[in-house]
Amino acid sequence: QVQLVESGGGLVQAGGSLTLSCAASGSIFSINAINWYRQAPEKQREWVATITRGDSTNYADSVKGRFTISRDNAKNPVYLQMNSLKPEDTAVYYCHTFVSGFGYWGQGTQVTVSS
């Protein structure tokens, strides 16, 4: 089993920055990739970014060039650096992974961007 805990959300003005963290515990050596998703009010959850075990990264078009997913040499936690934030980035941000065919989600952290 894997447990994921997000932190770092908050309220920021448009154009500002925030860094989210996703700390994993449990069977972390079985994790191949960590994903960030977000869900805005009354919208479906959408994928934001992925980092693989080999540190390859991929981003949704809506955040490419503004968000950076990374981790340090210890591989844990995973960070999501968010720059040039827009009101449309307002959402609950979740980290996610698959281990042995099971999906695991964190509890989410709220990001609110004011205009």
Side-chain angles (χ1 to χ4, degrees):
Q1 283 193 341
V2 172
Q3 295 80 42
L4 301 172
V5 178
E6 304 93 336
S7 61
L11 173 64
V12 64
Q13 287 189 332
S17 299
L18 278 176
T19 300
L20 307 182
S21 296
C22 172
S25 61
S27 302
I28 62 173
F29 294 105
S30 299
I31 294 175
N32 288 315
I34 292 283
N35 311 294
W36 281 98
Y37 283 78
R38 66 186 182 185
Q39 187 166 19
E42 301 182 358
K43 291 190 176 180
Q44 288 192 330
R45 194 169 295 189
E46 64 174 356
W47 169 75
V48 174
T50 295
I51 187 165
T52 68
R53 182 194 292 271
D55 293 332
S56 295
T57 58
N58 203 6
Y59 299 91
D61 287 344
S62 59
V63 306
K64 200 171 293 184
R66 300 188 298 121
F67 289 12
T68 303
I69 188 171
S70 67
R71 52 189 170 192
D72 59 21
N73 289 335
K75 303 294 187 182
N76 190 32
V78 169
Y79 304 101
L80 185 69
Q81 171 71 42
M82 305 184 295
N83 298 326
S84 302
L85 283 162
K86 305 174 181 180
E88 52 263 43
D89 294 318
T90 295
V92 179
Y93 284 71
Y94 299 90
C95 59
H96 167 269
T97 192
F98 275 110
V99 173
S100 300
F102 290 93
Y104 295 91
W105 295 91
Q107 82 288 351
T109 186
Q110 176 71 47
V111 172
T112 303
V113 184
S114 63
S115 57

